[in-house]
Amino acid sequence: MKDDEANRLSARAARYLAVGAQAGGFAARLAGARFLGRDGGRESDAEALARALGGLKGPLMKAAQLLATIPEALPAEYAQALATLQSEAPPMGAAFVRRRMAAELGPGWRENFAAFDLHPAAAASLGQVHRARTLDGAEVACKLQYPDMASAVEADLAQLDMVMALQKRIEPAIDAREAAQEIAERLREELDYRREAKHARLYEIMLASRGDIRVPGVHDRLSTGRLLTLDWLEGEKILTLVGAPEAERNRVAQAIFGAWWSPFAHYGVIHGDPHLGNYAVFRQGGAAAGINLLDYGCIRIFPPAFVGGVVQLYRGLLQNRRDQVAAAFSAWGFRNLNAELIEILTIWARFILGPLLDDRVRTIADGVSPGAYGRGEAAEVRRKLREKGPVTIPREFVFMDRAAIGLGGAFLHLAARLNFHRLFEEALEQFDLDVLAARQAATLAAAGLAPIAA
């Protein structure tokens, strides 16, 4: 069957024009200001970049936001400006939704549902979610992709090279090209809702023993490559817990910790988008009891050796073993390391893993607001790299880095107080790379996913 939306040339061309006009205008502004000696400063340039990209909803916006979450990649002014932008596209109206659903399930698509709300319950960068009820009474969430997203992604990724060239001019001490490749690969994966369905099954398997984490089931008959139908899980936004009893806030924070670190330590899998909107709180007996884990588009599966490198880094820092720390950075993919670069990278490593090294009940960072989490450490690393760099950011680092910021922000919003060290040691109990490799292969196969290349 012919796929009329599979990366259409006409749709790509229209997107090229939109992206080129906006981002090209910013590049000309930056180059002209430097040439004429009228440097308005980084804050002014950052605001201009935010304005240039502000109207380009969708993939390029998401790529820019992902780049902004790599603290070493951009100056603080740029990262802060890009992080404030919203990646959601304008919502599809009811008539548009009807046409989209008919394109995925056929002209009689409404016959599959007892009820279907044409107004979106939520929106995202590549699609929007509609609440519905199946004929057998199941409440479901229908995630429907916006039209021509494959074309938009390919057009935007072609322009990402220009964004990276700007990044190189802004921060020459950091080579983020590999990071850009990682972002491109994950964005392409997010287009494939069949793959996302497999990711949801993967998490259902990995977290089956966790009563405090709920994963929605997949409705295959009502899903396609651009329509994903999952169980609707009732829950509240994380921020509704602000001011709740500490025991409830800690219980939810522990569930978030387990939803992220347990799959990584046991299967080499992470949820690459751990922001507040991808969690919802469920209650039992009136009290917050755990989380619903939502959205499985951005999932990163690592080779077991990379997981071993993270564990080696943790243990090297815990035991103050410089040789182990250096070997771990090599396993992570950092190249051309020397003693000075290792020392600089260790500053950021101690920030990422610091709470896991500290055997006491604590917040994730005392006296720090969620929005400021990691900024001081990133600024120090960036300053030192300007003196001793350059350094190439390996692609595996992107979503580990992003998760440290996202998870830390969630814990700070909850004002959670936990012994993160004990929780991590529990996740690492009887850690063995060969066992992890076998467990990962078997679990990926059970979820219908191909094995990860070593």
Side-chain angles (χ1 to χ4, degrees):
M1 185 174 178
K2 186 176 181 291
D3 187 349
D4 292 330
E5 290 187 25
N7 191 14
R8 294 189 301 125
L9 177 60
S10 60
R12 285 205 319 275
R15 186 70 180 177
Y16 280 137
L17 290 174
V19 174
Q22 297 285 356
F26 170 74
R29 176 193 186 279
L30 187 66
R34 299 292 188 269
F35 179 73
L36 296 173
R38 294 200 302 266
D39 190 347
R42 280 183 167 171
E43 285 190 20
S44 175
D45 288 343
E47 291 169 2
L49 179 59
R51 285 195 301 272
L53 297 180
L56 297 172
K57 306 298 186 183
L60 185 63
M61 177 72 74
K62 186 161 190 173
Q65 289 176 321
L66 284 168
L67 189 63
T69 61
I70 307 170
E72 300 87 341
L74 292 172
E77 299 87 352
Y78 284 82
Q80 186 174 358
L82 293 178
T84 63
L85 300 175
Q86 298 298 311
S87 62
E88 288 82 2
M92 292 183 284
F96 214 163
V97 171
R98 291 188 188 97
R99 290 197 295 272
R100 297 294 296 154
M101 290 297 294
E104 298 308 312
L105 295 180
W109 67 272
R110 283 297 291 258
E111 298 170 7
N112 295 288
F113 300 96
F116 188 98
D117 190 346
L118 291 169
H119 300 285
S125 54
L126 305 183
Q128 62 190 39
V129 178
H130 293 262
R131 186 165 185 172
R133 188 184 315 115
T134 64
L135 297 177
D136 60 4
E139 296 291 328
V140 295
C142 296
K143 183 178 177 180
L144 182 60
Q145 194 171 115
Y146 298 127
D148 287 319
M149 273 294 106
S151 303
V153 164
E154 291 307 317
D156 285 9
L157 290 179
Q159 297 297 318
L160 188 58
D161 287 342
M162 182 182 68
V163 176
M164 297 312 299
L166 291 175
Q167 180 273 339
K168 190 65 175 174
R169 294 186 60 181
I170 293 165
E171 197 61 88
I174 303 294
D175 183 349
R177 286 174 296 180
E178 287 193 19
Q181 292 172 7
E182 175 74 2
I183 291 169
E185 191 168 312
R186 299 286 82 75
L187 276 176
R188 288 190 177 103
E189 283 185 356
E190 285 197 54
L191 286 168
D192 184 357
Y193 284 5
R194 288 190 178 91
R195 182 177 180 87
E196 184 171 348
K198 294 175 182 178
H199 288 163
R201 289 194 187 91
L202 176 65
Y203 268 78
E204 194 173 16
I205 296 168
M206 293 189 300
L207 298 174
S209 65
R210 297 287 302 237
D212 57 346
I213 306 169
R214 292 179 175 174
V215 176
V218 179
H219 293 253
D220 287 310
R221 194 176 63 81
L222 300 175
S223 298
T224 69
R226 285 188 290 268
L227 171 66
L228 176 61
T229 301
L230 302 171
D231 291 334
W232 181 278
L233 299 180
E234 291 289 352
E236 306 169 14
K237 292 182 179 180
I238 290 287
L239 292 181
T240 62
L241 284 188
V242 174
E246 183 176 298
E248 292 188 40
R249 289 183 279 111
N250 287 344
R251 193 177 304 126
V252 168
Q254 187 167 334
I256 292 173
F257 186 97
W260 203 91
W261 280 110
S262 179
F264 178 76
H266 296 146
Y267 302 90
V269 178
I270 65 169
H271 195 295
D273 201 6
H275 66 73
L276 295 182
N278 283 337
Y279 305 112
V281 179
F282 70 83
R283 294 181 176 272
Q284 288 178 341
I291 60 166
N292 302 326
L293 186 60
L294 310 173
D295 200 305
Y296 298 86
C298 188
I299 302 299
R300 183 52 154 104
I301 305 169
F302 292 106
F306 178 79
V307 184
V310 175
V311 174
Q312 186 177 30
L313 178 61
Y314 163 75
R315 289 177 174 162
L317 292 172
L318 192 64
Q319 299 165 11
N320 200 25
R321 290 279 306 274
R322 289 193 173 190
D323 57 333
Q324 282 195 29
V325 170
F329 284 133
S330 294
W332 277 43
F334 287 98
R335 298 187 296 273
N336 301 321
L337 290 169
N338 55 44
E340 290 178 317
L341 281 178
I342 290 171
E343 183 179 343
I344 295 168
L345 292 174
T346 300
I347 297 171
W348 189 245
R350 285 195 175 278
F351 162 69
I352 293 176
L353 298 177
L356 309 182
L357 302 170
D358 193 7
D359 188 6
R360 65 184 176 92
V361 174
R362 51 167 287 175
T363 67
I364 199 77
D366 295 334
V368 177
S369 69
Y373 186 66
R375 282 190 194 168
E377 293 82 359
E380 182 181 2
V381 170
R382 192 178 302 111
R383 178 179 59 78
K384 290 180 178 293
L385 285 176
R386 285 197 199 104
E387 300 169 359
K388 306 296 182 182
V391 64
T392 299
I393 303 298
R395 59 186 303 165
E396 291 84 0
F397 193 60
V398 174
F399 289 100
M400 290 295 294
D401 214 14
R402 184 188 192 199
I405 302 298
L407 291 171
F411 297 143
L412 287 173
H413 277 295
L414 289 167
R417 293 180 54 81
L418 297 168
N419 189 321
F420 296 98
H421 173 76
R422 295 286 175 88
L423 292 175
F424 192 57
E425 285 290 335
E426 288 174 12
L428 291 183
E429 191 173 1
Q430 297 180 333
F431 178 81
D432 181 278
L433 267 186
D434 292 334
V435 172
L436 185 151
R439 185 190 298 123
Q440 181 190 76
T443 308
L444 292 178
L449 289 160
I452 187 73

